[in-house]
Amino acid sequence: MINWNNLDTVHAYQELSKVVRVNLGETMTGENGAERVKKYSVPMGEGLVYNYAAKQVDDNVLAALAKLAEETQLVEKFEALYNGEVVNTGEKRRVLHHMTRGQLGEAVVADGVDKRTFYVEQQKRIAELANKVHNGEITNAAGEKFTTVVQIGIGGSDLGPRAMYLALENWAKVNHTFKMEAKFISNVDPDDAAAVLNSIDVAHSLFVLVSKSGTTLETLTNESFVKDALKNAGLDASKHMIAVTSETSPLAKSDDYLAAFYMDDYIGGRFSSTSAVGGAVLSLAFGPEVFAQFLEGAAAEDKLAKNKDLLANPAMLDALIGVYERNVLGYQNTAILPYSQALSRFPAHLQQLDMESNGKSVNRFGEPVNYQTGPVIFGEPGTNGQHSFYQLLHQGTDIVPLQFVGFKNNQMGRDVVIQDSTSQQKLCANVVAQIVAFACGKADEDRNKSFEGGRPSSIIIGDQLNPKTLGALLAHFENKVMFQGFVWNINSFDQEGVQLGKVLAKRVLAHETDGALKVYSDLLNI
């Protein structure tokens, strides 16, 4: 039997709070540090490795975390989730994004449909359309091939797919799988849509409208913007647009689209990159085979998340170390720092994934919690971030846990030797230096030049960023967020916090305002 209890009532959490804290500077100095780096490392899917040597943990902390994992039944709760139990209590829904890349447990039948079969069928339909577009079986009115795909969506319909596209764009070019350039329109700011439309040839562009409900204000507004541009170019919009939506939405059976591909209410937007939401644009951009490899990488990491052994379950270990940092050590933020330019938008995706999931102050039963939940997430790629906000990370008054990502090899295979080292070696040297600098610091009589150290970090290391390793990386963070939500006894799968602003915006547009709402509306000439 699964028990859903608040963290502050869990016995293992009380034990964890009493464990002697680790002096990170001491443990990471000299041979002690060398041994930790070798010891505190866990294999991930697709050859990735999660190394947590520079975290404020030791064997005693890890033992307490293992007890916490067991008492909070993390693996059992994950099993309940992938076997189709209704764990999204706010919306009374199943949570099935894992099933888009594989079946971890029992068959799940919902609404009279086997859900794994449903997701695979959508992937096959997308693959068929993508192949026809690439082969010239589906063309524009002039019989010419489409060269650009433009995704229209916001939130999870944009952040994840955009981050994944950028992560693989250069890899696809050098591996000869680059089929179509992809662009993204998300913001209702007209300059966003206008800028994209000005940068493409609309006659050779295929647009993917993504809206589960078919009623998303920003997305439908941008669709109208695009349709107007197509009309002005003398083009039939219905021959240039496909939809990704639910089967019950007004977009599903519309003649306005070449085709419609389906998602369902069991996959939240921020978890939808491995569904048709990411599948359509990524399959069109890189080919269905590349998207299949991406799914394969995610599936490999999901399987590890089933492991009851904390030290063999990287996502659960990462999650629990994060809980320790948030609830015992009192750290409020986490920085995501990929040392890969291709992952330039990955931190933005993780902002939504983490903060929309675990930015909650009530438990899964709607009762207030008396402890901290999700941290603030931010980040930039290295080494750019080093010349931006690392000053605060090194010498600021707040300690910010860091999550680095690094790869031994670059994607494009092009580099140059300058001062006896390549650019890739310089990149990797910087991330190594940062880990040790944050952990150990440096004493100096000049306090302005003194670094206290004791600033924790972990790093995920891989050989190269490619479709499989990207899938594994994505699944790792999705599962980390899920496990943390379980520990905090919150519902990580709804997002009521985004709704109030939408309601008030509709009131403003309908001129049903008073008080401050009316004055602000007048100031902005609405």
Side-chain angles (χ1 to χ4, degrees):
M1 179 181 175
I2 292 179
N3 298 306
W4 300 93
N5 298 315
N6 283 3
L7 177 62
D8 55 0
T9 68
V10 175
H11 182 69
Y13 172 62
Q14 311 301 331
E15 289 188 19
L16 177 65
S17 63
K18 297 174 184 175
V19 176
V20 176
R21 300 187 182 185
V22 173
N23 185 316
L24 188 57
E26 290 181 3
T27 59
M28 282 295 290
T29 300
E31 284 304 309
N32 287 337
E35 289 303 313
R36 280 178 67 89
V37 175
K38 295 174 186 176
K39 178 181 179 182
Y40 287 155
S41 189
V42 179
M44 294 171 56
E46 303 301 340
L48 297 174
V49 172
Y50 172 67
N51 188 288
Y52 57 101
K55 287 291 192 179
Q56 287 171 273
V57 300
D58 58 12
D59 290 351
N60 293 327
V61 174
L62 292 171
L65 292 177
K67 289 182 180 178
L68 181 61
E70 183 176 1
E71 188 175 347
T72 54
Q73 301 174 291
L74 297 190
V75 172
E76 290 83 356
K77 287 171 182 174
F78 181 36
E79 184 177 5
L81 181 149
Y82 63 69
N83 282 329
E85 290 192 24
V86 178
V87 298
N88 179 351
T89 50
E91 297 170 316
K92 297 179 174 59
R93 293 172 180 168
R94 298 171 174 84
V95 176
L96 300 180
H97 56 273
H98 297 89
M99 200 163 277
T100 61
R101 54 250 196 172
Q103 187 161 310
L104 294 169
E106 303 166 1
V108 176
V109 176
D111 309 317
V113 176
D114 181 282
K115 298 311 296 183
R116 174 61 183 159
T117 301
F118 171 77
Y119 299 137
V120 170
E121 177 61 28
Q122 297 310 306
Q123 291 163 13
K124 287 180 179 177
R125 293 182 60 233
I126 289 169
E128 289 171 3
L129 177 126
N131 287 330
K132 287 180 179 179
V133 170
H134 299 153
N135 295 336
E137 295 177 57
I138 295 176
T139 64
N140 67 6
E144 298 163 337
K145 283 188 175 183
F146 291 109
T147 58
T148 304
V149 54
V150 181
Q151 179 119 323
I152 307 169
I154 198 165
S157 300
D158 168 72
L159 287 164
R162 189 194 295 250
M164 302 308 121
Y165 171 78
L166 292 174
L168 296 179
E169 181 180 18
N170 288 327
W171 177 91
K173 288 177 178 177
V174 298
N175 285 277
H176 311 295
T177 66
F178 188 79
K179 309 291 185 182
M180 302 170 70
E181 183 180 23
K183 300 277 189 174
F184 296 83
I185 298 173
S186 58
N187 200 331
V188 77
D189 181 343
D191 286 343
D192 188 18
V196 171
L197 290 168
N198 285 344
S199 72
I200 63 174
D201 176 4
V202 292
H204 295 88
S205 298
L206 192 61
F207 297 86
V208 183
L209 184 78
V210 184
S211 174
K212 185 190 298 184
S213 66
T215 61
T216 309
L217 176 65
E218 296 94 335
T219 302
L220 295 184
T221 300
N222 281 325
E223 180 193 25
S224 296
F225 207 113
V226 167
K227 283 183 173 179
D228 186 62
L230 289 166
K231 179 182 177 182
N232 291 339
L235 299 168
D236 181 352
S238 68
K239 305 299 183 185
H240 286 258
M241 303 193 80
I242 65 175
V244 177
T245 189
S246 67
E247 290 182 285
T248 57
S249 97
L251 310 180
K253 309 297 181 183
S254 173
D255 292 333
D256 289 346
Y257 309 100
L258 275 168
F261 304 105
Y262 303 123
M263 52 178 161
D264 56 36
D265 287 335
Y266 308 124
I267 298 177
R270 56 196 176 276
F271 296 97
S272 67
S273 291
T274 54
S275 74
V277 173
V281 65
L282 296 178
S283 295
L284 285 164
F286 306 133
E289 297 80 10
V290 170
F291 184 66
Q293 293 171 31
F294 173 61
L295 297 180
E296 187 178 333
E301 187 64 25
D302 287 341
K303 290 176 183 176
L304 294 177
K306 297 173 65 177
N307 200 322
K308 284 196 172 185
D309 180 358
L310 177 65
L311 300 184
N313 187 329
M316 188 162 70
L317 178 60
D318 193 2
L320 286 170
I321 292 174
V323 169
Y324 178 60
E325 290 173 334
R326 188 77 174 103
N327 297 102
V328 177
L329 302 181
Y331 304 147
Q332 299 179 351
N333 312 288
T334 297
I336 309 295
L337 308 169
Y339 275 61
S340 166
Q341 187 60 30
L343 292 174
S344 61
R345 291 295 290 170
F346 196 64
H349 170 58
L350 295 188
Q351 278 185 321
Q352 187 201 15
L353 175 65
D354 201 313
M355 295 169 72
E356 195 168 84
S357 295
N358 290 340
K360 310 289 173 64
S361 57
V362 298
N363 66 15
R364 55 190 293 106
F365 308 113
E367 304 159 343
V369 297
N370 297 314
Y371 45 84
Q372 304 301 310
T373 57
V376 172
I377 303 293
F378 68 96
E380 276 288 317
T383 57
N384 293 18
Q386 292 177 201
H387 296 268
S388 174
F389 51 79
Y390 277 37
Q391 169 63 44
L392 183 147
L393 300 182
H394 276 293
Q395 293 183 306
T397 54
D398 290 303
I399 292 179
V400 178
L402 317 165
Q403 290 203 304
F404 293 103
V405 180
F407 297 93
K408 300 173 189 176
N409 301 298
N410 62 26
Q411 289 184 312
M412 302 191 74
R414 181 178 177 180
D415 208 340
V416 62
V417 176
I418 297 176
Q419 297 178 347
D420 300 322
S421 62
T422 66
S423 297
Q424 185 68 24
Q425 287 171 329
K426 291 180 176 68
L427 179 70
C428 292
N430 269 276
V431 71
V432 167
Q434 291 296 330
I435 293 171
V436 175
F438 279 118
C440 299
K442 180 182 74 73
D444 196 295
E445 290 183 4
D446 182 347
R447 290 295 299 157
N448 194 51
K449 296 181 180 180
S450 181
F451 295 75
E452 291 185 2
R455 307 204 170 209
S457 69
S458 63
I459 183 169
I460 293 173
I461 301 171
D463 286 329
Q464 185 191 55
L465 181 62
N466 58 43
K468 289 185 179 181
T469 54
L470 180 64
L473 189 66
L474 175 70
H476 172 85
F477 283 102
E478 288 182 349
N479 293 329
K480 172 191 174 181
V481 166
M482 171 193 71
F483 282 131
Q484 287 185 330
F486 288 160
V487 174
W488 288 319
N489 197 31
I490 57 178
N491 177 18
S492 301
F493 306 107
D494 66 3
Q495 57 283 331
E496 292 300 326
V498 305
Q499 301 303 323
L500 179 58
K502 291 182 179 181
V503 172
L504 293 180
K506 288 180 179 178
R507 280 180 52 190
V508 170
L509 291 171
H511 302 288
E512 298 172 353
T513 57
D514 55 20
L517 204 60
K518 185 178 189 314
V519 176
Y520 278 125
S521 301
D522 292 341
L523 287 172
L524 284 165
N525 196 30
I526 300 171

